[in-house]
Amino acid sequence: MWQRKSFEVSGTRFRWDRGWVYYWVEPILDEALAPEGWPEVDEATKKEHLRNKKTRWSSFIVELKTPIVCNNDIVDVISASGLRIYPPFKLNQKEANGGLFSEMALPVGDSVVDSKLHIPDYAIKGASTDMKIGDAEPCYGLRIDIEEGVAHDVALEFFLQLIRQYSKQWWVSTAQNPFDIGVRINFQVQEDNSPRLLLKHCGAGQIAAPWYGVAATQNLVGIEIPVDRTIWVEVGRCMSLGYGREDALQYFLTAIAAFMAYEDNQTILNLAFMFEVAENKTRILQDKNSLSKNKDLLKNAVVATEQQITTFRKLIIDRDNIAHGRRAYHASKNPRILIDYLEISAEFINRYLDLCRELGWDKALKTAL
């Protein structure tokens, strides 16, 4: 089920291979180097240790690049074909951030780099933000047990898409973490552009340091909910079935992530995809023919209301302009219209999801255009 799709094509100029290359670093422990030696172990214990190994299986600990916000009541292990996924857990992000700057050398100079400077000990190196949804906190750690032959990255991506879908945590599995842009330290500079250091002197009393710990985060939209046991069970069910990705909702969440990353054209394109997929999928679920042109969907909408159609018509015009290499007509004249697009789309996707539940959620998940 979780096999990587490989493309063996010869004669290309570049190497288009999207599979990951894994490297293992194996520690070797030497009894001779142990100060107090190793303990005596009886033969039965040795044999049991050799026997007690699950063949063809191993476990990965993953540091997620974007967090999953979870309630602490999740205890079930998701078990599907060839993999087991444990509930996400917290990592020490503050300690990890601070450790990045140990023994590092900062480039210093005016027109050219002519020296290096170690960050002062008094500088705060591990500042981090604290994002929560209610009492639920972000988790960056994940344990996945994998059977030999299963593509770890394929299974992980599908799992993250399901988490994103059912929790509406739009940032999950995106390239940019909206709660950590990577800013760590801020410092004052001197006239020659070199870092300004603290001047300690007798009688100064308390002095504010010219180096600051910094963290940056973006706001939640308001649609997000923490992963609770109900969501976790549904994700596990979809993992077992091997399907469950809802494309229209995924396009909407991708549009939000693009908007938060200042990728306005991608926001427009993904909202247009959401509209097209949702309208056509609902038509199919209602035993109607799908329509290939957006203008026909706008005239014969089955999900969008008349008021929403007015906004979607402008969205589709912008989408067509972008697709043909031109500026988005409406968005270029009035950037504020992006908020209208997102706001109407949020109402639209909720109407669509309600219709999917009425018409059969599993049937909707299995229906492809």
Side-chain angles (χ1 to χ4, degrees):
M1 183 185 296
W2 311 112
Q3 300 301 317
R4 186 180 298 107
K5 294 181 181 179
S6 59
F7 304 91
E8 295 184 7
V9 182
S10 60
T12 57
R13 183 180 177 185
F14 302 104
R15 185 179 300 157
W16 303 110
D17 183 355
R18 61 186 179 186
W20 292 88
V21 179
Y22 288 85
Y23 297 90
W24 274 258
V25 181
E26 182 179 27
I28 302 296
L29 306 182
D30 191 343
E31 181 183 4
L33 300 179
E36 300 177 358
W38 288 356
E40 292 289 338
V41 175
D42 59 64
E43 290 300 318
T45 302
K46 293 177 186 177
K47 289 180 180 178
E48 173 60 19
H49 178 71
L50 290 173
R51 183 201 66 77
N52 190 16
K53 179 182 178 182
K54 194 172 183 179
T55 57
R56 293 178 52 82
W57 282 79
S58 64
S59 186
F60 287 90
I61 298 176
V62 181
E63 178 194 357
L64 300 170
K65 297 306 178 185
T66 51
I68 299 172
V69 183
C70 299
N71 287 343
N72 58 13
D73 63 345
I74 302 172
V75 295
D76 300 318
V77 178
I78 291 175
S79 182
S81 177
L83 76 153
R84 290 160 48 85
I85 304 178
Y86 289 74
F89 53 89
K90 293 181 65 176
L91 298 180
N92 192 340
Q93 297 300 118
K94 185 175 181 178
E95 187 71 21
N97 292 344
L100 290 172
F101 299 99
S102 61
E103 301 183 9
M104 63 147 287
L106 182 72
V108 177
D110 192 357
S111 57
V112 297
V113 175
D114 53 23
S115 63
K116 297 289 181 71
L117 173 74
H118 288 287
I119 295 176
D121 292 337
Y122 54 77
I124 298 173
K125 306 178 183 71
S128 60
T129 54
D130 186 21
M131 183 275 290
K132 291 185 177 181
I133 303 177
D135 294 328
E137 297 183 297
C139 297
Y140 284 84
L142 195 69
R143 173 186 168 181
I144 304 182
D145 295 355
I146 296 286
E147 188 176 13
E148 185 179 322
V150 171
H152 156 268
D153 48 342
V154 175
L156 177 60
E157 183 59 28
F158 184 61
F159 165 76
L160 292 176
Q161 287 177 356
L162 293 173
I163 289 288
R164 178 193 200 201
Q165 173 173 298
Y166 286 106
S167 67
K168 296 186 176 66
Q169 295 178 25
W170 43 268
W171 58 84
V172 172
S173 191
T174 58
Q176 178 175 306
N177 185 348
F179 312 114
D180 185 359
I181 199 173
V183 176
R184 299 285 180 258
I185 298 174
N186 178 229
F187 57 85
Q188 299 174 7
V189 293
Q190 300 182 151
E191 291 293 337
D192 64 353
N193 295 311
S194 60
R196 190 165 180 264
L197 300 177
L198 180 66
L199 177 62
K200 300 178 182 178
H201 59 89
C202 182
Q206 294 182 332
I207 307 175
W211 291 66
Y212 322 104
V214 183
T217 185
Q218 290 182 310
N219 293 319
L220 298 175
V221 173
I223 63 172
E224 311 88 352
I225 57 176
V227 177
D228 57 15
R229 292 194 70 181
T230 301
I231 290 175
W232 187 253
V233 168
E234 180 63 16
V235 170
R237 188 179 76 90
C238 291
M239 294 293 294
S240 298
L241 293 172
Y243 66 82
R245 187 183 188 277
E246 210 303 301
D247 288 332
L249 179 53
Q250 292 286 344
Y251 281 129
F252 174 64
L253 298 171
T254 301
I256 295 175
F259 172 76
M260 299 299 279
Y262 298 92
E263 297 176 353
D264 294 350
N265 282 355
Q266 288 300 317
T267 303
I268 292 169
L269 290 174
N270 278 284
L271 290 178
F273 295 154
M274 173 210 67
F275 171 77
E276 182 178 350
V277 170
E279 286 287 348
N280 267 324
K281 198 167 180 180
T282 305
R283 293 182 67 85
I284 293 172
L285 291 172
Q286 294 176 339
D287 297 322
K288 298 177 181 178
N289 293 330
S290 61
L291 300 174
S292 60
K293 295 181 180 180
N294 279 322
K295 65 178 183 180
D296 294 331
L297 287 174
L298 290 166
K299 292 178 182 177
N300 302 279
V302 293
V303 180
T305 64
E306 187 173 336
Q307 182 182 4
Q308 291 170 355
I309 286 295
T310 302
T311 301
F312 278 128
R313 187 169 283 111
K314 294 178 182 178
L315 172 72
I316 297 304
I317 290 172
D318 281 352
R319 177 261 178 213
D320 291 343
N321 277 12
I322 292 169
H324 290 90
R326 298 190 294 267
R327 285 185 179 183
Y329 176 76
H330 294 287
S332 63
K333 293 197 302 180
N334 175 24
R336 169 63 174 72
I337 202 171
L338 279 173
I339 304 300
D340 295 335
Y341 291 163
L342 288 161
E343 193 77 6
I344 292 298
S345 294
E347 297 173 6
F348 171 85
I349 200 69
N350 282 331
R351 283 177 54 83
Y352 166 70
L353 293 174
D354 287 343
L355 280 171
C356 286
R357 295 184 189 100
E358 290 177 16
L359 297 168
W361 181 246
D362 271 21
K363 182 181 178 182
L365 291 179
K366 290 187 286 186
T367 298
L369 298 182

